[in-house]
Every structure is written in C-alpha cells, then in structure tokens.
Amino acid sequence: QVQLAESGGGSVQTGGSLRLACATSGYMTNCVSWFRQAPGNEREAVAAIYPHSGHTYYADSVKGRFTVSQDGAKNAVYLQMTSLKAEDTAMYFCAAERLSCPFADSWFLPSSWGYWGQGTQVTVSS
C-alpha cells in the first residue's frame, strides 16, 4: 500500500506564494502528481513528477508559476506555488502510482492514478 499526506495549504492573498508538501509512505512510488478541485468543478491536473526519468508536467494554467520537485531522502514531493490567483483556490490533492506510471498523454487524467491523499485547502483572496 501507499499512503499520501498533503500539508502546507492555507489562505494567502493574490500574488502570494505557498509550498505544498506530499509525504509518501509505504511502498515506493515511481511518480507523483498534484490535482486540484474547486467546489462544483471537476478534479483537474496541476503537475506531475517522474523522478526516474526527470520528467515534469504542468497544466497550462500553472506553467511558469508552479514548480513540482522531489526530495527522495524525505520521501516527499513539493508543489511551490507563486503568483497565486483567485482561480487557484481549491482543494489540492497529491496522487501516486507505484509501478505503472501514466504515459505523457494521460498524466492529467485522475483515472490514471491509483493512490490519493486526503487533500489540503488553498484559498487565494484579494
């Protein structure tokens, strides 16, 4: 089994920054992603990291503002968010896969990820 635990959410003003953390435990994961979901909206992909290949993926809406990284020694994946906008307000989830990481053309699909955390809330206000 894989356990994921998000932290670092909170309230911030427009233009501010936050760093989310996803702590992984249990079986080793080969890839980790971040998704978000605002009330009434579908869950949408934010970013993903595949440490073994070095590949990272980002949604167009966050490119240039968000950075996903990994600290293997701490079994943690981070999402550094800068220049936050009101539309970034959502519950943020990390997701992972152990063995079969999604291909590049499907990383953004929630159904491609088998393990999920409980989420951490991010609220951006003016």
Side-chain angles (χ1 to χ4, degrees):
Q1 279 286 23
V2 174
Q3 291 82 43
L4 306 173
E6 304 92 339
S7 61
S11 296
V12 65
Q13 289 189 327
T14 302
S17 300
L18 281 174
R19 188 178 80 155
L20 306 183
C22 175
T24 65
S25 59
Y27 290 114
M28 185 180 70
T29 57
N30 281 329
C31 44
V32 178
S33 62
W34 286 96
F35 284 75
R36 65 186 181 186
Q37 188 168 20
N41 290 358
E42 293 186 353
R43 192 165 295 192
E44 63 172 355
V46 176
I49 185 166
Y50 291 41
H52 294 294
S53 66
H55 287 145
T56 56
Y57 302 96
Y58 294 95
D60 288 344
S61 59
V62 305
K63 280 181 181 176
R65 300 189 298 123
F66 291 11
T67 303
V68 61
S69 62
Q70 187 215 24
D71 185 337
K74 296 182 179 179
N75 291 326
V77 171
Y78 303 101
L79 184 68
Q80 179 68 50
M81 306 185 295
T82 63
S83 301
L84 283 162
K85 307 174 182 179
E87 50 263 44
D88 295 318
T89 295
M91 183 73 77
Y92 283 70
F93 301 87
C94 64
E97 272 296 329
R98 284 184 56 210
L99 301 174
S100 299
C101 291
F103 290 111
D105 61 354
S106 62
W107 76 269
F108 51 88
L109 299 174
S111 59
S112 295
W113 303 86
Y115 299 95
W116 291 85
Q118 294 299 306
T120 185
Q121 177 68 36
V122 171
T123 302
V124 184
S125 58
S126 57

